[in-house]
Amino acid sequence: MKIRPYFLVLISVLSFTISGLAQETPIGLWRDQLPYYQVISVTEAGNYIFAATPYAIFYLDRDNNSVQRMSKINGLSDIGITSIDYNKKTKTVVLTYANANIDLINNLMVTNISDIKRKQILGNKTINSIYCYDKYAYLACGFGIVVLDLEKEEIKDTYYIGPSGSPINVLSITSDNTDTIWAATELGIYKAYIKDPNLVNFAAWELDNQMDPTLKYNTITSMGSKVFVNKSRTTPNRDTVYIHSDGNWSPWFAGQSNTIHKLRSTEERLIITYNYNVNAFDQALEPAYSVWSYFPGSPYPLDAIEGNDNWLWIGDLYAGMVGYNISESYFQGYDLGGPLTANSFSMTALGDDLLIAPGGRDGSYVPTYNAGQIYKFDNTNWTNYSGWIISQMAGINDIVTVVVDPLDPNRFYAGSWGRGLLEFNGNDYVTRYGTWNSTLGHHSASDTADIRVGGTAFDNNGNLWVSTSHTNNCLSLKRGNDWKGFTITEVQEADLGQMIIDRYDQKWIVMRYGNMNPNSLLVFTDNGTPDNPTDDRAKKLNSSEGHGNIPGTIVFSIAQDQDGEVWIGTENGVAVFYSPENIFNGGNYDAQRILVEYGGYYQYLLENEIVTAIAVDGSNRKWIGTDRSGVFLFSADGTKEIYHFTVDNSPLFSNRITSLAINSNGDVFVGTDKGVISYRGSATEGTEKMDDVYAFPNPVKDGYSGIIGIKGLVTNAQVRITDISGALVHTTKAEGGQAIWDGTNLNGKRVKSGVYLVFASDEKGKEKVVTKIIIIN
């Protein structure tokens, strides 16, 4: 966490958030990799200040100025947060989600209320905002109002207040000092007596005809006898605050007419959150103070509250949570870093580094025009690259592929689906490649700058290959500073996606299947002579026998394993090219499907699943992501299911997997449509020598019941663990370069306190003590 006086930083430190992160993350531990910059709602709960993002929350403990996070990993029940508020009477933090789920937080313990989420309700179930009154939380929902009894932790009532009791989208709720409850909706303003025991009867609610009942009112609050509401307009700078006083509504000039996100109030202040600033007014509605700058940095506030001790707390779209000391006029920023968004179209890892391409294209390979950004994580810090930070990236959209130079890990390349290839060295932008300075082919004859890079990969000699779409001049080679283009007539101007290069230096490129192209993969070889086009060969693969035998038609994912086999994921599961070397030598190369046994019956591996991502870990096991069933871990040959993680049995944010990547530590990064999460796997890449072997955690303290990892071994090393007297307590085999031990002996009982020796042997059978483990029980 970075506490700064001020502003938006390129790198944010996360080391405080998870115990042991500064050392080694325990095997089997999940970590969220979520955006913590985008704070949409804030509330004060005693000495805590809570900040909600769409994905998770964090809170500031004002007693010690520390910040901690809460997500689906460590207590929250869901993802997709819409609002947060605090009930002073019951000392309860209320947290709501877009899918109508609810979490209550008391003393940092979470209680879930999923009644609305589970109930079959036609139409919009989103919970838009929260209003706390007495011991209740009034929830403004897409269908009406739900009253939550916070003492009993149960739903008390549901109000359908639209015409004739119909559903209506309630956006915000408040009450005034006459106990009138006001509901701002998409179609007018409704009011009732809050203590009326018959509020479930729609007739108890009155549509306020003084205000236009055809317009949207997005936020409402009260201060004493006055009620304030914002008339929200789609036309820029046309939002208008209206004030209700002495029985009448009148427009009120609040200093400007920009878009208004939120109206908040205390007994002494009215706080208005605009697009680019926050204004505060006193009881006489005279200006009290304004926030137009964070000195330096421009605000993009979404919510603001005035708390105790003369502090204003702002939830900012890009800056996390910002505290403003009103009396002393200084700012304090709080954020937990993370990527700028939750998007992860593709990911790649090299060493400890993870790179995320958050752009996209739809199923027809049409650009989605996501802002061109790249997110880099070194297992501790996040670095975000965007047009806000790097001016040369302004106007770039849809980064869909990122690749790291294996000979220079500081250098990486990012492919844009529309604006060519970008090169970076560390945190520095180097250049952009297009038709003007490379051989990259352009998509549109009328727009030579429309260069849609679909795939990037390095060959076995450290040369960069780049594929571009909708042109037969679709493949380019970058050697040093020199470029060479390849024309592949077999492509027939098809759209091209992901690319890998196998151990035979063959280029495998995903093709968009369709009426104009009934093929799924393109394989190309220059036969080791890139400067001699006469021996270049290309072949298109499809579902026909003898031409690929691909199950289904659409290839969504492709990966090469440690044995050189090429695994593909389609809409009909998984298939493997066991003999990719036969593609051009006349031998059989057709893909084969894996038969697995389920309950005495045999079926093809994941044959009913859309397989969206495949990654290979250090033990050659296959991590497989699907479109609707979460992520699987299978044995190296795919015949044994080791894990199956879903939203129901793990902290996984969503069952829709978009991408997978595994770093050298064995961290498995799982990209979902709701954000990235990582799982510390048991397998790592093996080393050539066992010169730097260590165990973690070490020492193993009393109360720890997790897995002990032994890292830095040669691939598939044989491991023996003995006590200090030489008595054998455990044997195992490394998974890649890492062995695991659960801390028990050969009889399955927890070992006693003491020092334990780890012996490992390499492929030649030479054994030596590689490390020691201290157990404290």
Side-chain angles (χ1 to χ4, degrees):
M1 186 274 299
K2 192 88 170 185
I3 301 177
R4 62 200 188 289
Y6 212 67
F7 178 57
L8 185 63
V9 291
L10 188 65
I11 300 174
S12 299
V13 179
L14 306 178
S15 59
F16 82 99
T17 58
I18 297 175
S19 177
L21 186 62
Q23 301 174 10
E24 283 280 354
T25 304
I27 293 169
L29 183 73
W30 295 87
R31 294 165 60 190
D32 75 71
Q33 312 295 346
L34 293 170
Y36 281 91
Y37 294 106
Q38 183 181 343
V39 173
I40 60 173
S41 186
V42 291
T43 194
E44 184 177 51
N47 288 328
Y48 296 121
I49 308 297
F50 281 84
T53 77
Y55 315 99
I57 66 174
F58 61 92
Y59 59 91
L60 167 67
D61 185 340
R62 300 196 66 194
D63 287 337
N64 56 26
N65 209 36
S66 67
V67 180
Q68 298 293 333
R69 70 174 71 185
M70 295 180 72
S71 70
K72 193 169 182 282
I73 289 178
N74 63 344
L76 299 189
S77 63
D78 221 319
I79 200 162
I81 297 167
T82 57
S83 191
I84 193 169
D85 209 347
Y86 180 65
N87 185 291
K88 293 181 180 179
K89 183 171 184 177
T90 63
K91 298 182 179 180
T92 304
V93 174
V94 184
L95 185 66
T96 60
Y97 300 87
N99 63 2
N101 212 351
I102 305 166
D103 280 340
L104 306 181
I105 306 174
N106 282 285
N107 297 319
L108 303 180
M109 301 297 293
V110 180
T111 300
N112 178 239
I113 298 178
S114 59
D115 302 51
I116 311 175
K117 175 185 175 182
R118 292 183 286 106
K119 187 175 181 179
Q120 295 298 318
I121 298 175
L122 295 177
N124 181 8
K125 291 173 59 176
T126 299
I127 301 176
N128 298 304
S129 64
I130 307 161
Y131 174 67
C132 290
Y133 173 87
D134 195 41
K135 65 174 182 176
Y136 303 108
Y138 288 77
L139 309 180
C141 302
F143 56 85
I145 298 172
V146 172
V147 184
L148 185 61
D149 187 322
L150 298 177
E151 287 184 347
K152 296 181 179 180
E153 297 184 341
E154 64 183 22
I155 302 296
K156 177 180 180 291
D157 282 316
T158 300
Y159 307 149
Y160 290 88
I161 67 173
S164 300
S166 62
I168 192 169
N169 190 11
V170 180
L171 300 172
S172 185
I173 300 169
T174 193
S175 68
D176 61 22
N177 63 356
T178 67
D179 287 329
T180 299
I181 181 172
W182 301 80
T185 80
E186 282 193 337
L187 296 171
I189 300 171
Y190 288 78
K191 60 183 179 179
Y193 180 52
I194 198 168
K195 295 181 180 179
D196 187 336
N198 198 30
L199 285 181
V200 293
N201 183 354
F202 71 91
W205 293 82
E206 176 188 351
L207 177 63
D208 192 325
N209 290 317
Q210 290 189 50
M211 299 294 280
D212 191 333
T214 66
L215 295 181
K216 174 182 176 181
Y217 301 87
N218 69 319
T219 179
I220 192 168
T221 193
S222 65
M223 186 167 64
S225 62
K226 297 181 177 65
V227 177
F228 304 84
V229 71
N230 180 54
K231 181 189 288 185
S232 178
R233 305 295 293 268
T234 56
T235 306
N237 301 328
R238 291 295 302 276
D239 279 14
T240 306
V241 175
Y242 280 74
I243 180 172
H244 184 272
S245 182
D246 299 325
N248 295 302
W249 287 101
S250 59
W252 175 56
F253 178 72
Q256 61 191 100
S257 56
N258 289 339
T259 297
I260 293 173
H261 293 294
K262 205 84 168 190
L263 299 175
R264 294 272 206 167
S265 61
T266 67
E267 293 181 358
E268 298 179 354
R269 293 275 199 272
L270 172 68
I271 310 297
I272 304 181
T273 303
Y274 294 91
N275 254 2
Y276 307 111
N277 64 291
V278 178
N279 285 351
F281 300 86
D282 61 21
Q283 289 179 323
L285 302 184
E286 294 295 326
Y289 57 86
S290 297
V291 174
W292 284 90
S293 173
Y294 295 146
F295 302 105
S298 299
Y300 295 88
L302 297 177
D303 190 16
I305 60 167
E306 187 173 307
N308 296 326
D309 302 327
N310 219 25
W311 278 84
L312 178 75
W313 300 98
I314 302 171
D316 194 282
L317 180 63
Y318 302 119
M321 183 174 70
V322 181
Y324 172 56
N325 188 297
I326 300 166
S327 57
E328 300 182 24
S329 298
Y330 74 89
F331 294 90
Q332 192 76 60
Y334 303 85
D335 70 65
L336 278 69
L340 291 177
T341 73
N343 300 333
S344 56
F345 184 83
S346 69
M347 299 190 293
T348 188
L350 182 68
D352 288 344
D353 291 343
L354 171 78
L355 285 155
I356 299 177
R361 53 175 181 259
D362 66 17
S364 298
Y365 278 47
V366 175
T368 57
Y369 300 104
N370 287 327
Q373 300 174 356
I374 307 158
Y375 316 139
K376 183 179 180 182
F377 183 52
D378 66 3
N379 232 23
T380 301
N381 302 323
W382 281 96
T383 305
N384 293 308
Y385 304 78
S386 74
W388 307 319
I389 301 169
I390 299 172
S391 60
Q392 296 91 333
M393 294 183 69
I396 304 296
N397 293 316
D398 290 326
I399 302 295
V400 297
T401 177
V402 186
V403 66
V404 183
D405 187 340
L407 302 181
D408 182 3
N410 287 321
R411 190 174 305 275
F412 66 91
Y413 297 83
S416 163
W417 193 251
R419 285 296 177 261
L421 182 75
L422 285 68
E423 180 181 354
F424 297 83
N425 187 8
N427 294 335
D428 299 324
Y429 171 89
V430 177
T431 191
R432 178 164 67 100
Y433 296 102
T435 55
W436 55 91
N437 62 354
S438 73
T439 57
L440 298 178
H442 54 90
H443 176 88
S444 170
S446 60
D447 182 4
T448 57
D450 185 7
I451 301 167
R452 303 187 181 184
V453 175
T456 52
F458 278 88
D459 64 21
N460 299 327
N461 295 313
N463 303 313
L464 176 66
W465 292 78
V466 184
S467 66
T468 51
S469 274
H470 222 264
T471 171
N472 291 341
N473 304 315
C474 63
L475 199 58
S476 294
L477 165 65
K478 182 178 184 295
R479 292 179 293 186
N481 295 320
D482 298 325
W483 286 86
K484 179 177 176 58
F486 295 81
T487 299
I488 306 176
T489 57
E490 289 87 350
V491 170
Q492 297 175 329
E493 297 189 357
D495 283 314
L496 304 179
Q498 182 183 0
M499 174 170 59
I500 67 165
I501 299 177
D502 65 22
R503 63 171 54 176
Y504 307 102
D505 264 338
Q506 298 173 141
K507 290 75 187 172
W508 296 67
I509 306 172
V510 173
M511 306 183 75
R512 180 168 77 91
Y513 176 88
N515 293 332
M516 300 297 292
N517 172 52
N519 301 287
S520 305
L521 286 171
L522 171 73
V523 185
F524 171 81
T525 181
D526 58 33
N527 274 306
T529 59
D531 295 318
N532 178 15
T534 61
D535 60 355
D536 294 351
R537 299 180 67 184
K539 187 170 291 188
K540 292 179 290 187
L541 309 183
N542 52 46
S543 59
S544 301
E545 289 189 21
H547 296 276
N549 197 36
I550 294 172
T553 55
I554 303 174
V555 174
F556 291 93
S557 51
I558 185 169
Q560 179 183 213
D561 72 7
Q562 296 176 10
D563 296 327
E565 298 165 355
V566 175
W567 291 59
I568 61 171
T570 76
E571 78 272 28
N572 288 334
V574 175
V576 185
F577 290 92
Y578 290 104
S579 303
E581 70 276 11
N582 289 341
I583 294 284
F584 296 107
N585 68 13
N588 178 29
Y589 60 82
D590 273 356
Q592 298 180 42
R593 303 172 78 176
I594 299 170
L595 276 174
V596 292
E597 182 183 0
Y598 288 101
Y601 296 93
Y602 285 89
Q603 64 185 61
Y604 291 120
L605 181 63
L606 301 178
E607 64 177 328
N608 297 316
E609 299 289 349
I610 298 174
V611 174
T612 55
I614 302 174
V616 181
D617 71 13
S619 193
N620 205 29
R621 301 177 304 180
K622 310 306 185 294
W623 289 83
I624 297 179
T626 66
D627 183 61
R628 58 178 181 263
S629 298
V631 63
F632 296 80
L633 173 61
F634 289 99
S635 58
D637 61 4
T639 61
K640 180 182 178 183
E641 180 183 304
I642 300 170
Y643 296 133
H644 178 201
F645 295 123
T646 69
V647 295
D648 296 321
N649 66 9
S650 76
L652 200 64
F653 302 141
S654 169
N655 285 334
R656 187 179 183 190
I657 309 304
T658 59
S659 54
L660 291 169
I662 304 173
N663 70 9
S664 59
N665 282 323
D667 291 304
V668 182
F669 293 89
V670 183
T672 78
D673 62 339
K674 295 182 179 179
V676 178
I677 189 170
S678 63
Y679 173 82
R680 182 60 187 267
S682 59
T684 65
E685 298 176 4
T687 62
E688 294 183 1
K689 296 181 180 180
M690 293 186 288
D691 294 333
D692 187 23
V693 180
Y694 60 92
F696 63 94
N698 195 13
V700 181
K701 297 181 180 180
D702 187 28
Y704 180 78
S705 58
I707 297 297
I708 303 165
I710 303 162
K711 188 179 176 184
L713 302 169
V714 296
T715 301
N716 300 328
Q718 297 293 328
V719 176
R720 293 190 310 118
I721 300 174
T722 73
D723 61 21
I724 198 67
S725 67
L728 182 66
V729 297
H730 184 72
T731 63
T732 188
K733 182 180 179 180
E735 296 176 1
Q738 181 171 267
I740 60 175
W741 178 36
D742 63 2
T744 63
N745 59 26
L746 297 175
N747 296 320
K749 295 182 179 180
R750 188 75 176 175
V751 297
K752 298 178 180 180
S753 296
V755 177
Y756 292 84
L757 306 180
V758 179
F759 295 82
S761 58
D762 57 23
E763 59 184 5
K764 297 179 180 179
K766 185 178 180 180
E767 185 180 70
K768 64 177 181 178
V769 175
V770 291
T771 193
K772 299 177 182 178
I773 302 173
I774 299 173
I775 304 287
I776 303 172
N777 289 326

